[in-house]
Amino acid sequence: QVQLVESGGDLVQPGGSLRLSCAVSTSIFRFYDLGWYRQAPGKQRELVAQIRVGGSTNYADSVKGRFTISKDGPKNTVYLQMNSLKPEDTAVYYCNAKNMFFDYWGQGTQVTVSS
């Protein structure tokens, strides 16, 4: 059974930092592109950052220079380091693993940026 389990969401003040973690099933970690998406109330889910099997990354324009995606092979975990957080970063953040045939999602973790 494939599982993606996110953690690390919290309430943080503007300008603060958070690190999200996603534990990914061993069976897929090495073979799937991994990403973080977010969905704010009343908005569509959007790609935040992705790290491909080969290690290349891409980011939404709105988070470039502030967020960093990385992965740890031995721990089967993908991270999203979020710095200089803004109120507009408030959303439920979802971990994703996909390839040509399958698309898996975590349950989501809430990030709230507010003073």
Side-chain angles (χ1 to χ4, degrees):
Q1 182 180 359
V2 172
Q3 285 191 314
L4 289 80
V5 181
E6 302 102 332
S7 61
D10 206 346
L11 170 64
V12 62
Q13 291 188 341
S17 297
L18 278 178
R19 188 177 78 160
L20 305 183
S21 301
C22 176
V24 180
S25 293
T26 302
S27 60
I28 68 170
F29 181 83
R30 291 174 52 201
F31 308 109
Y32 281 60
D33 295 334
L34 304 173
W36 288 94
Y37 288 70
R38 68 186 180 188
Q39 188 166 19
K43 295 188 177 181
Q44 289 190 333
R45 192 173 296 189
E46 63 175 356
L47 176 67
V48 176
Q50 186 181 56
I51 184 165
R52 296 184 179 84
V53 171
S56 62
T57 59
N58 62 284
Y59 296 89
D61 288 343
S62 59
V63 307
K64 283 180 181 177
R66 300 189 297 123
F67 291 10
T68 303
I69 189 169
S70 61
K71 59 183 179 179
D72 184 328
K75 295 183 178 180
N76 292 335
T77 300
V78 59
Y79 302 99
L80 185 68
Q81 177 66 43
M82 305 186 293
N83 299 327
S84 302
L85 282 161
K86 304 175 181 180
E88 51 264 43
D89 295 318
T90 295
V92 178
Y93 283 71
Y94 297 91
C95 183
N96 172 264
K98 67 172 63 176
N99 67 5
M100 287 178 59
F101 307 103
F102 299 103
D103 198 358
Y104 298 105
W105 294 90
Q107 81 287 352
T109 186
Q110 177 70 47
V111 172
T112 302
V113 185
S114 175
S115 54

